[in-house]
Amino acid sequence: MDFLKEGERLDYLLAEDMRIIQSPAVFSFSLDAVLLARFVYVPIQKGNLVDLCSGNGVIPLFLSTRTKGAITGVEIQERLYDMAVRSIEYNKLQDRIKMIHGDIKEIHRELGYGKFDVVTCNPPYFPTPSKEEINENEHLAIARHEILCTLEDAVKASSGLARQGGKVAFVHRPGRFLDIVTLMRKYKLEPKRVQFVYPKAGKEANTLLIEAVKNGNPDLKILPPLFVYNEENEYTPEMREILYGE
């Protein structure tokens, strides 16, 4: 296929009946992106949504099935941005999704302040390791580690983009829960909904979903836990619904 570059493949987004360009050597989305796109509140008929740290555009693609609003994705890595643009074109969603190749720390110069109803972000999870520990693959290293943006950068940028009363949702690791809450409150984002995701019953949570409201009143709801696998190591009914629409 002439729109695929070396090492790329075209994968199905099963429940959404769409395709996405991926590359094991550059970037492939994880379950975390799927969970965030399903967790966040979205206006159904209209609105402005922006996804930060978009990678290959998977969250904007997922969100396009839940809302008729305008969606913007922001990605700093040119190769990933290019993959996202081609996936959007393949699915004929150019009129609803646009990608920006840019740094979230400076994105307000292009997108302004307080203009978005929904902001999503799947940021790098891990502090920058030593040169000996860091992944030799630059694309994967930047996606996973806080090399080009920190958690605080992501929260600050999200708050600046969100309108008064707008929603801001993150997916991250449970170990950063208190850091995220502290930073959200520092930048006038009040956490409202939290859900912990577990590999299976009896295991520790390994994923955190959190949604905040810009200048909202304190009132945090802890949602029921979400389990990925059952005792037979098969997807739970809840996960099958999320992944396959069953």
Side-chain angles (χ1 to χ4, degrees), residues 21-179:
I21 296 170
Q22 305 230 85
S23 170
V26 180
F27 186 88
S28 295
F29 74 86
S30 69
L31 179 60
D32 295 356
V34 185
L35 294 172
L36 178 60
R38 288 301 187 95
F39 171 79
V40 65
Y41 160 86
V42 295
I44 296 173
Q45 295 299 327
K46 59 182 179 179
N48 290 316
L49 302 86
V50 61
D51 178 57
L52 305 181
C53 307
S54 282
N56 63 347
V58 62
I59 290 177
L61 288 172
F62 278 128
L63 291 177
S64 72
T65 69
R66 299 186 58 210
T67 179
K68 296 179 181 177
I71 304 169
T72 301
V74 182
E75 173 53 45
I76 195 169
Q77 295 196 64
E78 186 173 7
R79 177 69 191 279
L80 276 61
Y81 159 81
D82 177 62
M83 292 167 68
V85 169
R86 285 182 283 128
S87 289
I88 291 165
E89 291 174 350
Y90 180 88
N91 291 287
K92 297 179 171 56
L93 289 167
Q94 305 96 308
D95 60 332
R96 298 187 50 214
I97 305 174
K98 77 168 184 176
M99 288 295 302
I100 294 175
H101 176 220
D103 187 336
I104 66 169
K105 298 190 295 294
E106 302 173 354
I107 199 60
H108 304 97
R109 297 177 183 177
E110 186 162 353
L111 296 180
Y113 289 90
K115 296 182 179 180
F116 289 88
D117 303 288
V118 178
V119 184
T120 56
C121 186
N122 180 5
Y125 289 155
F126 307 108
T128 303
S130 66
K131 290 183 178 179
E132 292 75 21
E133 298 173 308
I134 201 164
N135 196 309
E136 293 182 1
N137 184 315
E138 180 184 17
H139 299 292
L140 299 180
I142 290 171
R144 294 170 180 171
H145 296 279
E146 295 180 339
I147 297 171
L148 298 183
C149 81
T150 64
L151 178 58
E152 182 161 8
D153 292 332
V155 173
K156 181 179 180 180
S158 298
S159 177
L161 292 169
R163 65 167 176 79
Q164 174 78 11
K167 305 289 195 303
V168 172
F170 274 62
V171 61
H172 217 289
R173 290 290 178 261
R176 302 298 298 276
F177 180 40
L178 295 182
D179 293 336

Side-chain angles (χ1 to χ4, degrees), residues 209-246:
L209 298 163
I210 183 168
E211 183 182 83
V213 171
K214 179 72 174 284
N215 287 316
N217 296 319
D219 182 24
L220 179 63
K221 292 180 172 60
I222 306 295
L223 302 183
L226 178 62
F227 299 101
V228 178
Y229 297 103
N230 61 22
E231 291 304 315
E232 288 71 45
N233 291 318
E234 299 171 338
Y235 284 127
T236 61
E238 294 82 2
M239 281 306 305
R240 293 191 66 84
E241 168 64 26
I242 290 171
L243 292 171
Y244 308 120
E246 296 179 355

